[in-house]
Amino acid sequence: AYGDALLRCRDQQDWTVEEVTYLLSPPTVEDEEALRLSAEALRQETLGDVVDVRGAVEFGNICRKDCHYCGLRKSNIQLTRYRLDLEKTMQAIEDIYNMGIRTVILQSGEEQENETASIIKMIEAIKERFKLRITLSLGERSLADYKAFRQAGANNYLLRIETTDHELFSKVHPDDDLEERMQHLLWLREAGFLLGTGGLVGLPGQKVASLAQDILYWRQLGANMIGIGPFLPAAGTPLANQPAGDLAITLRVYAVTRLLCGRVFIPSTTALASLHPDGQRLGLQWGANSIMLTHTPEEVRSHYHLYKNKAKVDLDFACRSILEAKREIPAYLNWPTRK
Ligand code: 5AD
Ligand code: SF4
């Protein structure tokens, strides 16, 4: 019966939450492996074996919000706050460019509205100096800001929905509203961005049915990129003593997302690498097709403390994950250790 459900994934248009919950709950270990193999087959057919590598710069950790799971939350007074100046940011971008990478992600906490001008300056400076695609991951901002960022030359915007479970969303997001977050994703599309979204797996109280609902939301949104990570406890947060998300369930979410969302970019995330030593390799073997390495300057790196024991995913780490997963390092990448 489970095998039949997997076969239907290719053609079935309308899915119920119950059906997707079933896909997320393989009854036997053989079914679990069948799920993985179906996702891998679809990934192989649609995107091939090359793992796309992108580079992120976490240029600031100042945040106005207080999300219960995140180490950057404004109430976390133990954290040293920083914001890189343009020169430092450009240096990090240049390093990424020299690695051969052609897409950079600019990531920060949710900054104040008066930072709009400095962000636009950053985008323009990068576009002027390097032939790079720019992905922004800056949290919620105004529609006018989104349009201005797009105008300045940014290409993609990454804004995770985190969870589509109303009750859970409100519980962990004291400053946010689920409908508003969904509206922001529509504004981003209206502004002309390719959309990235995604969510957390294993938040305290999160049900498998709510993960199924998340996948259906990503599918109907038609996102180009879907970032999925296990919840990991972070010091200085209300959820500091909660257990981390489960590896097996997270991998099932990867596979079912691949099956239902088709030819989308699914990164094997830093959170997955932080949860388990083989996490990133496993992500690549459960439907993922890209890696986002982090190239934040050494002196501030530890302050981008989203959660405990964050893995250091640099060029070397990313390339080793790719080789361990028996996949291809892209030809554009300059990895000195390459054989
Ligand atoms: N565990 C896992 N992922 C987290 N993020 C924030 N805090 C955590 C955590 N404790 C992720 C969120 C957010 C991004 C900034 O990092 O999904 O979108
Ligand atoms: Fe700020 Fe984003 Fe962390 Fe929430 S998840 S506290 S908005 S950095």
Side-chain angles (χ1 to χ4, degrees), residues 67-72 107-109 137 139 158-162 173 181 198-201 203 227-235 237 239 245 271-272 304-308:
C67 306
H68 282 195
Y69 46 81
C70 178
L72 304 194
Q107 199 153 45
S108 69
S137 175
L158 181 50
L159 184 69
R160 288 185 177 180
I161 199 75
E162 312 294 1
H173 296 118
R181 172 66 65 122
L200 292 163
V201 178
L203 284 166
I228 301 158
F231 158 74
L232 297 165
T237 70
L239 302 181
L272 201 44
Y304 207 84
H305 182 269
L306 296 172
Y307 42 75
K308 291 174 200 159

Side-chain angles (χ1 to χ4, degrees), residues 60-75 81 108-111 137-140 159 162 172-176 181 200 304-306:
N61 68 352
I62 299 165
C63 189
R64 57 178 159 169
K65 288 193 175 165
D66 228 3
C67 306
H68 282 195
Y69 46 81
C70 178
L72 304 194
R73 67 199 303 268
K74 69 168 189 273
S75 300
R81 303 287 168 170
S108 69
E110 204 166 302
E111 300 191 318
S137 175
L138 315 173
E140 295 180 7
L159 184 69
E162 312 294 1
V172 297
H173 296 118
D175 316 285
D176 289 328
R181 172 66 65 122
L200 292 163
Y304 207 84
H305 182 269
L306 296 172

Side-chain angles (χ1 to χ4, degrees), residues 103-143:
T103 301
V104 293
I105 298 103
L106 298 174
Q107 199 153 45
S108 69
E110 204 166 302
E111 300 191 318
Q112 297 298 339
E113 278 161 38
N114 60 13
E115 291 292 354
T116 301
S118 71
I119 296 166
I120 290 173
K121 244 183 156 171
M122 205 183 319
I123 298 166
E124 287 174 344
I126 295 167
K127 280 284 173 184
E128 199 172 298
R129 246 185 91 192
F130 302 108
K131 204 172 156 14
L132 283 169
R133 292 181 60 81
I134 299 177
T135 296
L136 300 177
S137 175
L138 315 173
E140 295 180 7
R141 302 195 64 89
S142 67
L143 174 59

